[in-house]
Amino acid sequence: MKSWILLLVLGIFLGIFTYYTLRRNVAKVTKTPVWLLWLMLMIPPITWTGWAIKYGTRTPLPLVFGSLVVSSLLYWVLFERGRSSVKDPKQTSPTPDATQPAIQQPVESVPVRPIEPAEESKLRSCFSWSTYFIHNIEYRPQAVICRGQLRTSGDKAYQQVKENIEAQFGDRFILIFQKGINDKPIFLLVPNHQLYKAGEGKKEKLTKPGLALLLLGATLITTTLMGAIIAGVEAEDISSNPVLLLQGLPYALSLITILGIHEMGHYLTAKFYKIRTTLPYFIPIPFFLGTFGAFIRMRSPVPNRKALFDVSIAGPIAGFLASLPLLIWGLANSQVVPIEEKMRIFNIEALNPSHSILIALLSKLTLGVQLSSNIAIDLHPVAVAAFLGIIVTALNLMPVGQLDGGHIVHAMFGQKTAMIIGYTARLLLLLLSFIQSQYLPWAIFLILFIRLADEPALNDVTELDNKRDFFGLLAIALLILIVLPLPQTVARFLNI
């Protein structure tokens, strides 16, 4: 009965989270009812839970893969049918392409005065022939597109035109500089909707320390509870002796520290570039890992690709550097067990380090001769938290869409190339999941929930310097070291 209750609670929270995610991210782009899309996504957990309740055994692998494939196909078909019906057949403007701004604007009309014929001369005067020689101006529903010939560096052109636009039009427009057809730079003037929102003159209060502390405290409680279970404390013993909860603190404090440092890396870098952003907020849950992680939200545009790169890479690198010493210490205090023996953590097999090049090398470096080809690792709770920190780093470094890795490749190679890289990364991860099945949920998550199109920086033309390109390649190399299994030749050499 207790296992039934646990499965039902887990299913309820998973269902609520999935429905909320669909309502927030998918309902705007498809007419398919959210409840129907939600039902398609819930096919696998419902199937697995039903099997476990009826037969009391682990779900067979064919049923796992079959339910995931059926769920994904049905979701994709319904989503695409609904998305195609969103387009207005009476729309006379051309289909948006790479020359139009990839930013979301409200559909309803806003009291922004368009550029009148008498003002076009003022607009043209903002572009000098020695900076950006303008050829023509196009008026679109979402932006004014200025096409011309760049005659100086991207940085200099953007700064000069921005100053001229502000002198002539004040803050009526947000100026975006990005590459259009044939990679020719274009300027876009997007109406500044924020200026006309209710409460004009009152800036939104982004930093809410009370809420941040409340969520942090709740997450400390839930992760401590799960940490005690990971440490081997039975739930019945906790209810009779609450002091046993203290055994969960090493896991809780380690995981919160790693996630907090990750988000503070984003937060502090964003503040350095004067990007308005919220404080880091943790997401507590009373099961699984004790938390769904933490997040910040940026409420102003990223000024350029340099800032986009720095803000994006700061989080994963900071989180990885925080995880590394904790993982080494945790491995040193872990126990080696026969590879067939089961762990208490999540009722899965003991960690086989050869599933990751990085984890295998760190495990061998820490445990030495204790680790051999027939040995797995029963992780210390601190090592569990650090291992999760490494996994979070890898997931965030995936070069897809709006993940940190997607921002990084966007900053390095530009928006169009980043989308191609995102397609390729999805495919490669899906292929890898047939070798290591634990990556299949990742692949499905990236395909169903992460958009390939990334938001442009205000100056999306000026490229990065060589130093940032180098660190970007190092981040991609780190991702490969985490997700790829240890080659058999190296495994035999290290006796893993």
Side-chain angles (χ1 to χ4, degrees):
M1 179 61 69
K2 293 178 180 178
S3 62
W4 284 35
I5 295 175
L6 180 60
L7 287 172
L8 287 175
V9 171
L10 180 61
I12 290 171
F13 274 93
L14 179 62
I16 293 173
F17 174 76
T18 304
Y19 187 81
Y20 172 78
T21 303
L22 289 174
R23 289 279 299 181
R24 187 176 183 85
N25 299 317
V26 178
K28 301 175 183 178
V29 294
T30 181
K31 286 189 175 181
T32 303
V34 173
W35 67 265
L36 186 57
L37 293 174
W38 173 83
L39 187 61
M40 296 304 101
L41 290 181
M42 293 301 293
I43 287 176
I46 291 174
T47 303
W48 304 340
T49 302
W51 180 278
I53 291 176
K54 184 173 182 178
Y55 298 103
T57 59
R58 182 178 299 180
T59 310
L61 196 58
L63 185 59
V64 171
F65 278 94
S67 60
L68 286 171
V69 170
V70 170
S71 171
S72 303
L73 287 175
L74 291 175
Y75 175 90
W76 181 79
V77 170
L78 292 171
F79 176 83
E80 289 297 326
R81 287 188 63 183
R83 188 168 68 168
S84 63
S85 63
V86 170
K87 299 179 181 179
D88 186 1
K90 298 181 180 179
Q91 184 179 3
T92 57
S93 58
T95 302
D97 55 24
T99 67
Q100 298 190 40
I103 62 177
Q104 296 180 355
Q105 298 291 349
V107 176
E108 63 271 17
S109 60
V110 292
V112 177
R113 184 166 56 90
I115 291 181
E116 299 174 357
E119 293 180 307
E120 185 169 319
S121 60
K122 292 170 58 178
L123 177 58
R124 288 183 178 274
S125 68
C126 295
F127 300 90
S128 64
W129 68 270
S130 61
T131 302
Y132 187 83
F133 183 69
I134 192 165
H135 295 159
N136 67 297
I137 299 174
E138 300 176 15
Y139 298 95
R140 301 288 180 87
Q142 291 186 336
V144 179
I145 304 176
C146 304
R147 304 183 189 276
Q149 182 68 41
L150 182 64
R151 295 184 179 274
T152 184
S153 68
D155 264 338
K156 184 177 178 180
Y158 181 79
Q159 290 301 324
Q160 185 62 57
V161 174
K162 183 173 183 290
E163 291 174 5
N164 294 342
I165 293 293
E166 290 175 350
Q168 294 288 348
F169 300 99
D171 52 3
R172 278 174 53 190
F173 299 100
I174 297 173
L175 184 66
I176 299 177
F177 190 35
Q178 67 181 72
K179 292 183 179 180
I181 297 176
N182 298 327
D183 289 331
K184 290 183 177 180
I186 59 174
F187 281 93
L188 304 106
L189 279 70
V190 180
N192 186 0
H193 297 299
Q194 298 294 331
L195 181 66
Y196 298 93
K197 285 190 174 179
E200 181 180 350
K202 297 180 181 179
K203 282 191 174 181
E204 179 186 5
K205 186 178 180 182
L206 296 182
T207 54
K208 300 177 181 178
L211 176 61
L213 288 174
L214 179 64
L215 291 173
L216 175 61
T219 305
L220 179 60
I221 294 173
T222 55
T223 51
T224 299
L225 175 62
M226 296 311 301
I229 295 174
I230 290 172
V233 179
E234 299 294 337
E236 295 80 1
D237 296 335
I238 294 176
S239 59
S240 60
N241 185 10
V243 177
L244 293 175
L245 275 175
L246 295 178
Q247 296 186 32
L249 280 177
Y251 167 82
L253 295 176
S254 299
L255 186 58
I256 287 176
T257 298
I258 293 168
L259 296 177
I261 289 176
H262 177 116
E263 294 305 325
M264 287 304 295
H266 289 312
Y267 177 79
L268 294 176
T269 310
K271 298 296 285 186
F272 174 80
Y273 283 104
K274 296 181 173 57
I275 300 172
R276 299 184 69 231
T277 182
T278 66
L279 287 170
Y281 296 121
F282 285 85
I283 308 174
I285 54 171
F287 59 91
F288 191 42
L289 306 175
T291 177
F292 269 146
F295 68 95
I296 64 170
R297 297 194 67 180
M298 294 189 293
R299 296 303 182 91
S300 60
V302 179
N304 48 55
R305 282 162 63 172
K306 172 185 170 183
L308 177 65
F309 179 89
D310 290 351
V311 172
S312 301
I313 202 171
I317 296 303
F320 174 73
L321 293 178
S323 301
L324 204 55
L326 291 173
L327 180 61
I328 293 174
W329 186 92
L331 287 171
N333 289 273
S334 299
Q335 297 180 353
V336 293
V337 295
I339 206 165
E340 295 82 11
E341 185 174 327
K342 305 290 183 182
M343 290 180 67
R344 285 184 294 268
I345 173 174
F346 312 136
N347 195 31
I348 61 174
E349 292 183 355
L351 176 66
N352 184 350
S354 64
H355 288 168
S356 164
I357 296 175
L358 179 67
I359 299 299
L361 294 178
L362 290 176
S363 299
K364 190 64 177 180
L365 178 66
T366 305
L367 298 174
V369 295
Q370 297 182 62
L371 191 63
S372 63
S373 58
N374 296 321
I375 293 296
I377 307 172
D378 189 351
L379 294 175
H380 185 277
V382 171
V384 174
F387 176 72
L388 294 174
I390 298 293
I391 296 301
V392 168
T393 297
L395 181 58
N396 277 277
L397 285 177
M398 287 288 171
V400 179
Q402 296 183 319
L403 294 176
D404 292 333
H407 295 320
I408 290 171
V409 295
H410 172 187
M412 292 173 64
F413 304 111
Q415 199 171 32
K416 291 182 181 178
T417 304
M419 291 183 67
I420 297 174
I421 294 174
Y423 274 116
T424 306
R426 284 175 168 180
L427 177 61
L428 291 177
L429 188 63
L430 187 61
L431 293 175
L432 180 61
S433 67
F434 289 101
I435 301 174
Q436 295 187 237
S437 58
Q438 64 266 30
Y439 290 124
L440 184 59
W442 289 28
I444 293 174
F445 175 75
L446 294 182
I447 292 171
L448 297 183
F449 293 108
I450 303 299
R451 292 186 304 148
L452 287 176
D454 189 18
E455 303 291 337
L458 293 182
N459 177 3
D460 210 49
V461 172
T462 304
E463 297 180 354
L464 301 181
D465 52 58
N466 292 334
K467 180 178 68 175
R468 285 181 171 81
D469 284 334
F470 174 74
F471 281 109
L473 294 175
L474 282 183
I476 295 173
L478 175 61
L479 169 64
I480 293 172
L481 288 176
I482 294 174
V483 302
L484 287 187
L486 189 69
Q488 287 297 321
T489 304
V490 180
R492 285 194 294 268
F493 176 76
L494 296 177
N495 190 27
I496 297 179

